[in-house]
């Protein structure tokens, strides 16, 4: 299952992880809370309007300091849930090695599809991110998802601690086959996934 990829890795400019400070951690936490409240509130229309004005002021402040991809810390901050990216569920890597990556975290109200169950579309998003972690941990060159298949075994709940492990199944040249499973605190399998990650060629973005 091993393969010498040292030359291939030099062909690509990897996005480097970073450590974020408490300021971004606080901001990301507040933004996640805002997302939850947005789908869990029904205030007077004036409250929506006033709140929108406040958010527009925040956007105006952040627009003063643009940063290109690979420079902005959100999405690269390994010490924050979801790497500090608001689109990603608030999970973090707990174990990482060449053959697999274990993550722990939970979903919240913003991820609900109905009846307090996590939306079926959120689960593939999580696994795609998780598979990317496996690519990096395995020392593979930058890759893209060729396919991702999810089997839903049980309802995935919100606001409870969960665990997911993804591992390398096999390697065939540019192809990295990955499998994963998500479990609850009692060890029940909530979903399973398998996917194919293909190494990018030098001309591919």
């Amino acid at each position: 299952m091993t393969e010498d990829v040292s030359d291939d890795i030099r062909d690509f400019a990897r996005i480097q992880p970073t450590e974020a400070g408490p300021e971004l951690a606080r901001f990301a936490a507040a933004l996640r809370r805002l997302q939850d409240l947005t789908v869990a509130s029904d205030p007077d229309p004036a409250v929506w309007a006033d709140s929108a004005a406040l958010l527009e002021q925040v956007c105006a402040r952040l627009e003063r300091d643009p940063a290109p991809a690979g420079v902005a810390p959100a999405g690269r901050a390994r010490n924050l849930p979801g790497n500090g990216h608001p689109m990603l569920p608030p999970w973090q890597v707990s174990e990482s090695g060449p053959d697999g990556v274990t993550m722990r975290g939970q979903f919240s109200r913003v991820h609900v599809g109905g009846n307090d169950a996590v939306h079926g579309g959120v689960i593939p998003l999580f696994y795609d991110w998780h598979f990317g972690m496996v690519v990096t941990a395995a020392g593979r060159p930058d890759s893209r998802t060729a396919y991702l298949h999810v089997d839903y075994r049980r309802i995935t709940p919100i606001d409870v601690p969960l665990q997911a492990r993804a591992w390398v199944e096999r390697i065939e040249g540019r192809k990295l086959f990955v499998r994963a499973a998500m479990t609850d605190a009692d060890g029940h399998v909530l979903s399973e996934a398998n996917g194919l990650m293909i190494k990018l060629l030098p001309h591919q973005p």
Side-chain angles (χ1 to χ4, degrees):
M1 190 169 60
T2 59
E3 179 183 346
D4 185 2
V5 297
S6 57
D7 291 335
D8 293 331
I9 290 176
R10 287 196 294 269
D11 292 338
F12 298 92
R14 283 189 177 275
I15 293 178
Q16 297 298 319
T18 188
E19 295 288 315
E23 298 82 9
L24 178 58
R26 180 183 175 185
F27 183 89
L31 184 55
R32 291 186 184 281
R33 180 62 177 156
L34 175 63
Q35 290 175 318
D36 285 334
L37 289 171
T38 299
V39 299
S41 302
D42 186 20
D44 183 274
V47 175
W48 285 126
D50 292 344
S51 299
L54 292 173
L55 291 175
E56 288 163 359
Q57 292 178 27
V58 172
C59 291
R61 292 184 64 182
L62 293 176
E63 286 171 350
R64 300 172 191 167
D65 298 291
V71 175
R76 300 191 300 123
R78 294 288 178 86
N79 61 314
L80 298 185
N83 288 2
H85 196 299
M87 183 181 72
L88 297 175
W91 289 58
Q92 287 183 277
V93 173
S94 58
E95 299 174 26
S96 179
D99 294 326
V101 174
T102 299
M103 300 185 71
R104 291 185 172 87
Q106 62 186 43
F107 297 96
S108 62
R109 179 68 180 270
V110 72
H111 304 117
V112 168
N115 298 327
D116 286 336
V118 175
H119 193 291
V122 173
I123 306 300
L125 168 65
F126 170 82
Y127 280 125
D128 196 40
W129 173 40
H130 200 169
F131 286 177
M133 295 284 192
V134 172
V135 170
T136 300
R140 295 281 292 180
D142 289 352
S143 304
R144 295 290 186 196
T145 307
Y147 69 74
L148 192 161
H149 175 86
V150 178
D151 291 307
Y152 301 90
R153 305 302 186 190
R154 289 173 175 246
I155 294 298
T156 302
I158 63 170
D159 298 328
V160 296
L162 304 174
Q163 175 178 295
R165 184 172 186 275
W167 62 93
V168 176
E169 184 176 43
R170 68 183 188 278
I171 297 173
E172 297 178 4
R174 292 173 56 209
K175 300 178 179 180
L176 181 74
F177 294 87
V178 187
R179 299 191 70 87
M182 185 182 299
T183 56
D184 62 17
D186 296 321
H188 297 131
V189 176
L190 306 177
S191 60
E192 296 177 290
N194 64 83
L196 170 59
M197 311 296 288
I198 298 184
K199 185 194 81 171
L200 290 173
L201 296 173
H203 67 278
Q204 294 176 318

